[in-house]
Amino acid sequence: VKSKAPEGLPVAFLAYGDSDCEEEAVKDSAIDHLKKHLEECQKDFSREIEQRKRLQEAVDCFLQQFLIMTKRVYTTLKNRPAAAVENEARAVHSISEAANW
């Protein structure tokens, strides 16, 4: 750390006595900054976990409703005697099984 040159000396000299205090202040500042950054990261992580939880609940709800709908369509098609509907009934049944899995 350079300091002002005393009168009569043309070149500044190094003063080591002040550097410990300045170094500690820089370390403290850096640690405080890192703690704040860590807190923000933890908040972001918590928000992300909550968002993923809500998304998973929405997907589960959709799949349940989709499964119910496909089972109803399958039942409706199954009860029809026409041979032309048989392929569609099997297709809907396969979709229903896939959604149930």
Side-chain angles (χ1 to χ4, degrees):
V1 176
K2 283 190 169 187
S3 64
K4 292 183 179 180
E7 286 189 34
L9 291 177
V11 179
F13 64 95
L14 297 175
Y16 292 101
D18 297 336
S19 66
D20 290 338
C21 294
E22 291 173 8
E23 191 174 303
E24 287 298 319
V26 170
K27 282 183 186 178
D28 291 343
S29 175
I31 289 172
D32 289 342
H33 177 73
L34 290 174
K35 285 180 181 178
K36 288 178 185 176
H37 184 67
L38 179 61
E39 289 172 4
E40 286 299 317
C41 289
Q42 288 172 332
K43 288 177 186 176
D44 288 345
F45 180 73
S46 296
R47 284 191 294 265
E48 185 71 25
I49 293 295
E50 286 301 314
Q51 184 179 8
R52 287 178 185 232
K53 184 179 176 182
R54 288 191 308 271
L55 177 63
Q56 186 61 50
E57 290 170 355
V59 168
D60 290 344
C61 181
F62 168 78
L63 288 175
Q64 287 175 348
Q65 292 174 353
F66 182 73
L67 180 61
I68 291 169
M69 181 194 69
T70 56
K71 285 182 178 181
R72 286 181 182 163
V73 170
Y74 174 71
T75 303
T76 302
L77 292 175
K78 183 181 168 186
N79 294 334
R80 301 213 176 195
V85 179
E86 186 176 329
N87 289 336
E88 285 80 3
R90 274 192 251 136
V92 170
H93 180 67
S94 296
I95 292 171
S96 176
E97 290 297 315
N100 193 30
W101 179 75

